[in-house]
Structure formats: structure tokens, C-alpha cells
Amino acid sequence: MLPTPAIAALREKFPLITELMALQPLSWFNPGIAPAAEALNDVGLTADDVADASARLARFAPYLARAFPETQASGGIIESPVVPLPAMQAALGLASGVTSGQLWLKQDSHLPISGSIKARGGIYEVLKHAEMLALDAGLLKEGDDYSLLASDAVRAFFGQYAIAVGSTGNLGLSIGIMSARLGFRATVHMSADARQWKKDKLRSHGVTVVEYATDYSVAVEAGRRQAQGDPTCHFVDDENSHDLFLGYAVAGQRLKAQFDAAGVAVDAQHPLFVYLPCGVGGGPGGVAFGLKLAFGDAVHCVFVEPTHSPCMLLGVHTGLHEGISVQEIGIDNLTAADGLAVGRPSGFVGRAMQRLIDGYATVTDEELYRLLALLEQTQGLRLEPSAVAGFAGIPPVLAAPQYRQHLDTATHLVWGTGGSMVPEQEMAAYVARGRALLAAGAD
Ligand SMILES: *Cc1c(COP(=O)(O)O)cnc(C)c1O
């Protein structure tokens, strides 16, 4: 925690910090938002970089279809459905009044291989690294069918190399499962928030799991240090990686194609609001970058964080980015949303995206459980606590004067970021908790 006078000075300059410290759900719309044509130049990455990532994923599709049979149906492309949520919309009361619009869910919860949004960026970065090594070693040539990478000889070659990552759980699952399948030696440094089943699952895939009693930033730092001492080890840097970011960004064009196919219009008269749960920022930041490239000013992105882990809001609002953590203003970073339990944001994402993200909201753990149970009850969909955070971003948008004009023709898309791999018993406990809170609230 910062010295008391330093906190007082911050609160004086940024009154919102007092509200954050009170742990009450709140929202903040960034007055610094700028037109996409201008602000996309802040990012340092371009549409060509995203197209390059997309083409690389297409090259790997034959390999993925072979190595992960569950991706055969999609031809080795890792993508999730986008579905309307009419019953959830009615339950949330959004259908009433003039602010109807349409509520949809992006089901990254059901992405193949690792069951979370991390199957985008995490898997992409591992594939890119593998491609580079195989090309350099002459095991792969341009134009080859990448399914040859599934051979025992190539697996033995990758076995000379290591991949390491620090994670609250889901990034570790993606990197670990993908790395191990290719043949790499994989190490995942897990923060105290990580669920036991995620560690067990990784170990069953032959991944080394190092456990920490501390939070995410410490696990990442330990992983980074370990990798530095080993020239054969590639460290996946969740706080700074451009490759992770680009892997996530591919989602933008994919969603555009899905909405085109479903007849969902997105333009100035039919704005698209996308609600993304935010941890360190790489996942939502990368997806938002792809969305801005695909839809320009017609898309408005809102990040949602736990009231106990509002790191990106704090970093962007103060302009201090990775130079401040929630712990430094006395917030504990303890939340049931394990995927969002991050106290210090990515400075790379905060700076790159600060003029492209419309707003930020925070949500309590109790509300996450209620939303999780409501989604299960109304739509039969089961997501993990982190993954339903987006729903909490909707009410602030409906109340914000700047969006009023086209709300009746708007599409609200909640990015459902994980949950399909949560063990049955654990999911049942989440739902029971949420139902109890809903029942208590109904009294
Ligand atoms: C990691 C994660 C997020 C947020 O992604 P960041 O890159 O950490 O911001 C959201 N939801 C789930 C389920 C996650 O695992």
C-alpha cells in the first residue's frame, strides 16, 4: 500500500479512486475516446498484422484438426458460436421501454481445446513460436501441409525447447495443453487464485505446474525470471506480448462474418456494444482492437472488472498504467472471478487501447454469481464467474446519455469468456450459490 499522503493526493486528483476504494460497483466512460481512424494509430500494430495472424492460424488448421479431433468439425479453426439470449434479455428487463435492442452472447466459454478466450491468444502464440523453430530447422517449408508437425520426429525436436507462462489459470491451460501436444516442455506458474482442477488437468497433460501462494503478478515475474536463465525457453509474457494480442484480435473479422451470416446489422444507426471481462487486459484489449478494425466507430467496447480487482480502470483513469496496482490503494485483489484476479494492468494494452475503449465498469462477486445462475436458468448456459462479468456493463451503457439515440436498434454482445471445462461439481456449486443469492434478493 502507498503511504497515506500519497493516497490522499491521488484521491484529491482522481475522486473516482475514493469510490474504487469503497468497493462499490461503478462505471467510468473515458472522455478521451477518439475516432477509430485516428486512435487505431496508437496501437503500434495494424490490420496487416492481424491478417498475418489469421493466415497463420489457417496454415495450422490441418495440424489442429489432426492433433485435436474436437476441432475437425470446424476444419481446425478454433472459433466459438455467437447466440442470441432472448430469455436472459427478458429476465434482465432490457426488453422494456425504449432501450430494447438485442442481447447476444459470444461463447468463448465453448472454444475447443481449452474452453476459454485464452484459446485465441495463448494457442496462437505457441503456434507462432513452433512455426518459427520448425522453419529455422528446415522441418517445415512454405506451402507444406502443417499436419506433418504431428509426427514423432517433430515432437522430439520440439522436446529440446521449453515454453513457460505465469497465469491465474486459463492462460496456463491454453499454453500448457497446446505446448505439450506439440512436444514442448511446458511450465505453468500458477497464482494462488488458480483452481485446483486446472492444475490437475495440466499435470495430466504432462505440464509442470509451479504453485505460488501469491497473486498473478508474482507468478508472472517468477516465470519470467526462470525463462531468462534458459535460452531454449520461450516465455509467454501476458503483460506485454504482441503475439497474444494479435491472436485475440483475429476474433474481430470472425465476428463480423458471423453477424453478416446471421443478418445482424452493425453501422452508425445500429451500434454494437461489446462487454468484455478484463484481467490483465490482453484478451479484451486484443479482441477490442480486432473489433475496432472490423467495425470502426460503430462498435463500442466496455471492459468489466471485479470491484476487488479494477486494475485496468485504475491504470487508464490515472494514466499511471502498470505504474500502479490496486493493492497500492488498499484493494485486496481477492475475487471469485479467478480469471480476472489481476492487481496490476498491462501497460502495453492500457496505452495502446486507451482512446479506443469507451468505458469501464466494476462488478461484485455476488452479482457475478447471480448473473451466472440467471444465465443458467434462462438459457441453460453454464459459464464460470469471470465469464459473465460483461453483463454488468449493460446498465451503465443504457443509462449513459451519449448512447441514447440508437439504443432501440443496438446490439449488445456479452463476451462469455470461459466455463465449458469447469468440472460438473464445481459448476453445480457456482449455480447453487447464485440461485441462493437470487432467492435472497427476491425477498
Ligand atoms: C483471462 C480471462 C479473462 C481476461 O483476459 P485478460 O487477458 O487477463 O484481461 C476473462 N475471462 C476469463 C474466463 C479469463 O480466463
Side-chain angles (χ1 to χ4, degrees):
M1 198 152 153
L2 292 171
T4 311
I7 293 184
L10 271 174
R11 291 170 67 171
E12 173 79 27
K13 195 164 169 200
F14 305 105
L16 192 75
I17 289 189
T18 299
E19 292 181 55
L20 284 177
M21 290 170 68
L23 305 174
Q24 291 307 305
L26 55 84
S27 60
W28 174 63
F29 290 92
N30 187 356
I33 184 94
E38 183 188 326
L40 279 168
N41 296 314
D42 299 352
V43 181
L45 296 163
T46 65
D48 285 347
D49 296 317
V50 180
D52 179 60
S54 189
R56 181 167 290 106
L57 288 169
R59 290 198 291 279
F60 270 98
Y63 166 77
L64 291 172
R66 179 159 162 196
F68 296 95
E70 70 265 36
T71 67
Q72 263 167 20
S74 60
I77 294 295
I78 301 168
E79 195 43 73
S80 70
V82 60
V83 295
L85 298 179
M88 180 70 171
Q89 178 164 2
L92 289 171
L94 303 181
S96 61
V98 288
T99 55
S100 49
Q102 289 283 334
L103 179 63
W104 289 70
L105 179 72
K106 184 65 174 150
Q107 285 186 285
D108 275 12
S109 47
H110 291 69
L111 280 173
I113 301 179
S114 60
S116 82
I117 187 173
K118 305 299 192 310
R120 297 185 183 277
I123 288 177
Y124 174 72
E125 176 152 348
V126 173
L127 295 178
K128 182 171 183 224
H129 185 62
E131 182 184 55
M132 191 260 304
L133 290 173
L135 285 170
D136 282 355
L139 292 169
L140 192 65
K141 298 184 309 301
E142 201 183 317
D144 275 349
D145 177 340
Y146 278 33
S147 60
L148 68 80
L149 296 173
S151 74
D152 288 345
V154 176
R155 281 183 46 83
F157 165 75
F158 287 138
Q160 302 168 273
Y161 296 92
I163 293 187
V165 67
S167 173
T168 61
N170 285 337
L171 184 63
L173 271 188
S174 290
I175 303 278
I177 293 172
M178 189 67 246
S179 302
R181 191 67 55 96
L182 279 159
F184 287 105
R185 289 176 284 118
T187 303
V188 175
H189 299 264
M190 287 280 205
S191 64
D193 321 280
R195 312 296 307 169
Q196 187 60 43
W197 68 267
K198 293 181 183 175
K199 301 176 198 173
D200 295 343
K201 192 174 186 80
L202 279 172
R203 289 188 172 118
S204 78
H205 281 266
V207 173
T208 303
V209 177
V210 186
E211 299 179 56
Y212 296 83
T214 47
D215 93 337
Y216 162 88
S217 305
V218 177
V220 170
E221 200 38 49
R224 187 180 283 127
R225 262 201 317 281
Q226 185 216 14
Q228 267 163 4
D230 177 359
T232 67
C233 183
H234 176 73
F235 177 67
V236 177
D237 188 340
D238 197 14
E239 292 172 329
N240 300 295
S241 170
H242 289 188
D243 287 336
L244 277 178
F245 190 81
L246 289 170
Y248 292 119
V250 169
Q253 281 301 336
R254 300 240 187 110
L255 177 73
K256 191 172 200 301
Q258 288 180 315
F259 270 164
D260 283 347
V264 175
V266 179
D267 53 43
Q269 278 71 47
H270 303 83
L272 170 63
F273 294 91
V274 181
Y275 305 93
L276 296 135
C278 181
V280 74
V287 168
F289 177 52
L291 292 170
K292 278 289 173 187
L293 286 170
F295 298 105
D297 296 324
V299 67
H300 303 277
C301 299
V302 174
F303 285 6
V304 185
E305 299 175 288
T307 51
H308 285 250
S309 310
C311 68
M312 188 59 76
L313 202 178
L314 179 65
V316 173
H317 184 74
T318 58
L320 295 171
H321 298 292
E322 79 279 27
I324 189 163
S325 69
V326 302
Q327 289 95 338
E328 282 167 318
I329 60 166
I331 298 179
D332 60 14
N333 189 31
L334 295 177
T335 169
D338 47 314
L340 312 181
V342 177
R344 190 181 295 279
S346 162
F348 154 57
V349 171
R351 287 187 188 85
M353 297 300 294
Q354 60 186 338
R355 296 201 297 160
L356 292 163
I357 305 306
D358 278 54
Y360 303 79
T362 61
V363 58
T364 64
D365 282 5
E366 290 71 25
E367 181 66 6
L368 291 177
Y369 282 117
R370 278 192 289 265
L371 289 164
L372 183 155
L374 203 58
L375 187 63
E376 203 266 347
Q377 206 170 296
T378 54
Q379 304 278 168
L381 293 170
R382 299 176 144 212
L383 269 59
E384 63 189 88
S386 301
V388 295
F391 287 103
I394 301 173
V397 163
L398 297 185
Q402 66 268 36
Y403 303 124
R404 208 159 280 159
Q405 199 181 356
H406 296 297
L407 279 183
D408 49 345
T409 49
T411 299
H412 300 276
L413 177 67
V414 168
W415 212 276
T417 45
S420 64
M421 290 193 175
V422 174
E424 181 56 38
Q425 251 192 335
E426 189 140 340
M427 183 56 78
Y430 288 154
V431 172
R433 177 92 204 272
R435 282 191 187 154
L437 286 162
L438 283 174
D443 288 343

